Amino acid sequence: PFAVPIYAIYTPRNAVSGGLDYSAEMKGFDLTLHLDANYADGFYANYTDPGFDTATGKVTAVQPKGDSSFIVNGRIALSNIQVGDNGQAVTVALWARNLLDEQHAFYRSYSTLSGGTGIFNEPRTYGVEFSVQM
């Protein structure tokens, strides 16, 4: 009998996340800044190699690993902007996900029958938020 290689799935060997938040009261509004970043090694999607010869103990098709990633997200907001005489406050914010527009295949799989497949991460997205507190 031969030892079959087994992989921990959906678990990067190394991962780290961090974030920064800053708030300041300005004249007539509040300023809030947020920035976060996430790094992860690639991970395996299947726990065994798709090709393993049980007679010889040799791997004939290796399990692919997803790419490592570094994703940065951010948000800047102006809030508590007083409008009207009834105490309404407005907030306007700009946000972005995947700010650096990193592209990577986070999921990769291989089958001896169907070949290789993969899923890529989301591209940079951004938007504007507007809210009124009454």
Side-chain angles (χ1 to χ4, degrees):
F2 297 99
V4 177
I6 302 292
Y7 303 100
I9 60 173
Y10 305 115
T11 307
R13 184 170 187 84
N14 299 295
V16 65
S17 297
L20 297 169
D21 288 299
Y22 174 79
S23 296
E25 291 183 20
M26 310 299 269
K27 188 173 184 176
F29 63 91
D30 294 336
L31 171 68
T32 306
L33 303 170
H34 171 81
L35 193 67
D36 64 72
N38 307 283
Y39 170 81
D41 288 340
F43 59 82
Y44 294 101
N46 293 305
Y47 65 93
T48 61
D49 288 313
F52 183 78
D53 187 337
T54 55
T56 64
K58 296 200 186 283
V59 174
T60 58
V62 177
Q63 181 58 241
K65 188 180 202 181
D67 299 337
S68 61
S69 64
F70 180 68
I71 303 295
V72 178
N73 306 303
R75 184 175 188 270
I76 182 170
L78 304 177
S79 58
N80 292 325
I81 303 168
Q82 299 300 311
V83 294
D85 296 332
N86 296 332
Q88 291 111 340
V90 172
T91 298
V92 178
L94 301 173
W95 59 267
R97 289 189 205 122
N98 192 6
L99 192 60
L100 304 177
D101 201 22
E102 176 179 314
Q103 297 177 14
H104 64 276
F106 69 89
Y107 177 96
R108 290 181 192 262
S109 182
Y110 182 82
S111 165
T112 55
L113 297 175
S114 63
T117 60
I119 300 173
F120 288 85
N121 68 307
E122 296 282 333
R124 178 189 307 134
T125 55
Y126 50 88
V128 176
E129 296 175 23
F130 179 80
S131 63
V132 177
Q133 182 180 17
M134 304 181 101

